[in-house]
């Protein structure tokens, strides 16, 4: 979701910082080097992100890849890292080739992007991340025969809808406590129930329009 916002906003500064701060984004895949040519370690990421944020805020850069890169031209490591992100963002959602793609192409492109950024390796170490990768792989297989093409905005809406509708399966051995979405609690018996956010302000929820059709 943070990546989609970064691409859609064409590098809004807040969207960029939000994406850089995700713990799943690694420096290991980027060979980022400082002014002396020394390879940065993963432990240097927090400092690098902080230096990027300080420079962008001091120069009052609100967004756009060109302005961000101009603000970071005196910081080799930051400039190198953001340049790679700008290139990937352009090829993913802004280039002519990204105008319209089939669902299987969008899925393949997204999985390749995660590999290029090192996100796939980090997600494999997280239970929700593993299920996200499995969902993308299954989506690519299920949609292989669909020839309809989608632009970036349609793909974003479609994938976010798939993520919203895919329940997270929590792997644990203690079956006395389970966490479920409201629709997953139907026809089940419980000794006690906590209904989080279940007040007059939130229930009943308003139906959301989905992709092409209104309710």
């Amino acid at each position: 979701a943070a990546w989609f916002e970064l691409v859609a906003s064409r590098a809004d500064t807040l969207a960029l910082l939000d994406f850089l701060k995700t713990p799943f984004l690694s420096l290991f895949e980027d060979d980022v080097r400082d002014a002396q040519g020394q390879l940065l370690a993963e432990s240097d990421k927090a400092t690098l992100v902080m230096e990027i944020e300080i420079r962008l805020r001091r120069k009052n850069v609100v967004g756009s890849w060109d302005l961000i890169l101009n603000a970071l031209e005196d910081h080799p490591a930051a400039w190198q890292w953001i340049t790679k992100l700008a290139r990937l963002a352009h090829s993913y959602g802004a280039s002519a080739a990204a105008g319209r793609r089939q669902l299987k192409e969008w899925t393949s492109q997204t999985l390749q992007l995660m590999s290029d950024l090192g996100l796939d390796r980090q997600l494999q170490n997280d239970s929700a991340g593993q299920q996200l990768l499995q969902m993308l792989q299954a989506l690519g297989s299920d949609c292989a025969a669909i020839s309809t093409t989608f632009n970036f905005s349609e793909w974003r809406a479609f994938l976010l809808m798939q993520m919203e509708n895919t329940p997270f399966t929590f792997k644990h051995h203690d079956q006395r406590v389970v966490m479920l979405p409201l629709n997953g609690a139907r026809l089940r018996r419980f000794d006690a129930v906590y209904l989080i956010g279940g007040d007059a302000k939130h229930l009943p929820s308003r139906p959301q329009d989905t992709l092409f059709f209104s309710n």
Side-chain angles (χ1 to χ4, degrees), residues 164 167-168 179-186 195:
E164 184 71 23
F168 168 66
M179 182 179 294
L180 298 168
L182 188 59
N183 58 5
R186 294 170 181 167
L195 191 60

Side-chain angles (χ1 to χ4, degrees), residues 8 17 36 59 64 72 76 84 89 101 104 108 113 130 143 158 182 191 203:
L17 294 174
Q36 288 73 41
K59 297 185 179 182
S64 101
L72 300 175
K84 178 179 180 178
R101 293 189 177 114
K104 62 180 180 181
S108 175
L113 170 79
Q130 293 174 10
C143 297
F158 176 77
L182 188 59
D191 294 326
L203 288 177

Side-chain angles (χ1 to χ4, degrees), residues 103 148-162 208-215:
L103 289 177
T148 305
T149 57
F150 295 77
N151 61 29
F152 169 73
S153 297
E154 293 167 344
W155 161 248
R156 179 188 186 186
F158 176 77
L159 184 57
L160 292 180
M161 184 172 62
Q162 296 302 312
Q208 298 291 325
D209 291 344
T210 54
L211 208 56
F212 304 113
F213 305 102
S214 67
N215 289 289

Side-chain angles (χ1 to χ4, degrees), residues 23-201:
F24 299 107
L25 184 63
S26 172
L27 284 177
F28 282 129
E29 306 296 323
D30 296 281
D31 294 331
V32 177
R33 298 178 181 272
D34 60 18
Q36 288 73 41
Q38 298 294 319
L39 192 65
L40 296 186
E42 187 62 22
S43 58
D44 298 319
K45 179 192 170 185
T47 301
L48 180 59
V49 173
M50 181 178 66
E51 292 172 351
I52 291 173
E53 182 170 5
I54 290 174
R55 278 172 166 74
L56 295 181
R57 293 192 183 280
R58 282 179 177 174
K59 297 185 179 182
N60 198 27
V61 178
V62 296
S64 101
W65 292 112
D66 290 339
L67 293 177
I68 289 173
L69 289 172
N70 287 339
L72 300 175
E73 59 184 358
D74 61 337
H75 194 306
W79 189 90
Q80 179 185 347
W81 197 25
I82 302 304
T83 295
K84 178 179 180 178
L85 291 180
R87 176 174 54 80
L88 291 174
H90 177 75
S91 63
Y92 187 83
S95 66
R100 301 198 68 86
R101 293 189 177 114
Q102 297 178 10
L103 289 177
K104 62 180 180 181
E105 295 172 331
W106 276 116
T107 304
S108 175
Q109 190 78 4
T110 301
L111 289 169
Q112 182 60 48
L113 170 79
M114 290 183 171
S115 177
D116 293 339
L117 293 175
L119 291 171
D120 56 346
R121 186 178 303 177
Q122 301 294 326
L123 289 171
Q124 286 288 2
N125 297 324
D126 179 78
S127 56
Q130 293 174 10
Q131 294 178 47
L132 173 62
L133 294 175
Q134 291 169 4
M135 186 202 74
L136 284 170
Q137 293 164 355
L139 191 62
S141 177
D142 294 342
C143 297
I146 299 177
S147 59
T148 305
T149 57
F150 295 77
N151 61 29
F152 169 73
S153 297
E154 293 167 344
W155 161 248
R156 179 188 186 186
F158 176 77
L159 184 57
L160 292 180
M161 184 172 62
Q162 296 302 312
M163 294 171 64
E164 184 71 23
N165 292 333
T166 301
F168 168 66
T169 303
F170 181 63
K171 298 179 181 179
H172 62 93
H173 300 291
D174 188 350
Q175 298 299 322
R176 295 173 299 174
V177 179
V178 292
M179 182 179 294
L180 298 168
L182 188 59
N183 58 5
R186 294 170 181 167
L187 301 180
R188 299 185 63 169
R189 293 181 178 273
F190 301 96
D191 294 326
V193 173
Y194 276 106
L195 191 60
I196 309 301
D199 55 21
K201 182 179 180 181

